[in-house]
Amino acid sequence: MQFLANGTGWDFILGGYYFTESVDGFIHIPIFFDPAAQFDQRGTGDTKAYAVFAHGSWEFVPRLKLVLGARYSHEKRTSEGVFTAPFVPIPTGGEKSFNAFTPKATLQFEPSDNLTVYGGVSKGFKSGGFTIGVPGPGVEPEKLLSYEVGLKAQMFDRRLTANIAAFWYDYTNMVVTRVVQAQTVEENAGKSTIKGIEVELTARPTSRLRIDASLGLLDAKFDSFTTPDPLNPAAGPISLAGNRLPGSAKYTARVGAQYDIPVGDIAKISISGDAFFSGDMYFDPYEHRGSYQPSYETYNASLTYDSGRWWSMTLWGRNLSNRTIVSNQLISADFWGYPRLTYLRDPRTYGIDFKAKF
């Protein structure tokens, strides 16, 4: 449900929604050392949520606009289940309710039709809950206080578009996944700081050529987080302050281009390619070398014939250098002999797509 209104120099929207969901889940693995032994994780999870929100903008002087928003959220999560490893079943689940008020404010200045400068602050919220079939008290909500400034510009008769943003996030209760004995559990980290810069450029030097480039610089670290290391349980709880957040590369970059060649009156051939570069990253908060992806690059290319009518055909190739790239990795517990649970991105892949419009 939404209510909208606008006038000279202002607009406003007020709305709300309701959400309900029920999920069943299970994992069952027989264990070889005894016919009765098993790894069994199963249960149900239910969510009921509602929210009301308001958002509006006001151009109180020419080219200077204030954008305000606010949202109130309520969520209730319940779960029932059982966990068995290897013999004794343990009841799991519980009930949690969460409330959050998350406002935002942005000041936006447009000194010309082709340039916008902005700065703002906002609060974010992600509810906690339970992992189905996993013992424990569940997790509390994640909370975020965000500061961002940036600009959006179009230059040289709109042949060059630039978007630049700098941000600073104060993150509380970030949910982190780790392995405890035979269980994969989620827990709240203490506090984290995430700061960075993002740059996106699009250039059209001719009507046939488009060039895209982007760069992201990221500094994401735990400020406070004390927890046991499953690979060294004898050490007890250790401080991970200063460690990088899982999956955070210090830099990412991409450059790509597309060139269009007219064929006849309405058809065209498009040649495109791009390269992506990423810094190294860890996939667990302990910075274990066994859960690590070195810096890497990938290359993609495609050749498209567009008939200009009802069909087109594309020959494409991805990860042309055939790099082995880890997308996520966890080191399991001594219960299994510390194996690495690894997810890989696709190797070199190529194919042909045919598209039709009717």
Side-chain angles (χ1 to χ4, degrees):
M1 180 181 66
Q2 293 183 351
F3 171 77
L4 295 86
N6 62 75
T8 303
W10 64 272
D11 59 72
F12 180 79
I13 180 172
L14 176 67
Y17 76 87
Y18 175 77
F19 172 82
T20 181
E21 179 184 60
S22 182
V23 178
D24 297 319
F26 75 93
I27 300 173
H28 180 83
I29 305 173
I31 300 176
F32 66 90
F33 63 77
D34 189 303
Q38 60 179 327
F39 177 94
D40 191 89
Q41 177 180 318
R42 63 181 63 235
T44 62
D46 295 293
T47 302
K48 296 184 184 298
Y50 66 83
V52 291
F53 63 89
H55 184 276
S57 66
W58 174 36
E59 189 174 356
F60 55 95
V61 298
R63 296 190 176 275
L64 185 60
K65 181 184 295 186
L66 177 64
V67 181
L68 297 174
R71 171 178 172 139
Y72 177 80
S73 304
H74 171 81
E75 296 195 22
K76 180 180 179 181
R77 293 182 179 264
T78 58
S79 178
E80 290 185 3
V82 64
F83 176 77
T84 305
F87 298 109
V88 180
I90 302 173
T92 69
E95 180 178 301
K96 287 178 177 288
S97 294
F98 311 101
N99 301 292
F101 176 70
T102 50
K104 64 175 292 184
T106 301
L107 194 61
Q108 183 175 302
F109 179 51
E110 298 181 5
S112 71
D113 293 339
N114 297 321
L115 177 62
T116 300
V117 183
Y118 67 90
V121 58
S122 62
K123 296 185 71 174
F125 158 82
K126 181 180 179 182
S127 69
F130 304 90
T131 303
I132 292 177
V134 174
V139 293
E140 295 304 307
E142 297 181 329
K143 297 181 180 180
L144 180 71
L145 181 59
S146 166
Y147 307 89
E148 182 173 339
V149 295
L151 66 84
K152 301 179 180 181
Q154 293 181 321
M155 298 168 281
F156 309 114
D157 197 23
R158 301 198 173 189
R159 293 185 179 274
L160 177 64
T161 299
N163 297 323
I164 303 173
F167 57 88
W168 183 299
Y169 299 157
D170 288 329
Y171 216 133
T172 304
N173 282 344
M174 173 179 286
V175 174
V176 177
T177 301
R178 68 187 186 97
V179 177
V180 179
Q181 297 179 350
Q183 309 166 36
T184 300
V185 303
E186 294 181 332
E187 67 175 326
N188 294 107
K191 295 184 178 181
S192 308
T193 299
I194 304 171
K195 50 191 174 182
I197 298 174
E198 295 178 345
V199 180
E200 297 179 350
L201 301 173
T202 301
R204 294 183 178 272
T206 72
S207 60
R208 298 184 183 181
L209 177 62
R210 188 188 73 208
I211 302 172
D212 302 299
S214 63
L215 173 66
L217 302 176
L218 186 67
D219 181 14
K221 295 180 179 179
F222 292 108
D223 297 323
S224 62
F225 184 24
T226 301
T227 188
D229 183 348
L231 268 62
N232 186 19
I238 59 174
S239 173
L240 303 182
N243 284 13
R244 289 158 60 184
L245 300 188
S248 61
K250 291 184 177 180
Y251 70 86
T252 56
R254 179 189 174 276
V255 60
Q258 177 175 310
Y259 189 74
D260 299 327
I261 304 172
V263 179
D265 294 332
I266 59 174
K268 68 177 180 180
I269 293 174
S270 298
I271 304 169
S272 65
D274 67 80
F276 176 80
F277 306 88
S278 174
D280 65 338
M281 66 185 73
Y282 295 93
F283 295 107
D284 69 16
Y286 309 96
E287 298 190 351
H288 291 136
R289 296 298 296 183
S291 185
Y292 174 76
Q293 169 62 52
S295 58
Y296 66 91
E297 65 284 332
T298 59
Y299 304 95
N300 311 301
S302 68
L303 176 66
T304 299
Y305 176 78
D306 187 342
S307 68
R309 294 185 174 88
W310 61 271
W311 66 275
S312 65
M313 183 177 293
T314 300
L315 172 66
W316 54 265
R318 304 186 185 115
N319 190 9
L320 297 176
S321 56
N322 201 30
R323 291 292 303 269
T324 299
I325 303 168
V326 177
S327 63
N328 196 14
Q329 191 172 69
L330 289 173
I331 301 176
S332 190
D334 57 352
F335 182 85
W336 305 102
Y338 297 111
R340 285 184 291 179
L341 310 177
T342 303
Y343 300 86
L344 299 177
R345 296 184 184 271
D346 290 339
R348 181 188 296 124
T349 309
Y350 48 87
I352 298 176
D353 290 342
F354 180 83
K355 296 181 179 179
K357 300 178 182 178
F358 299 100

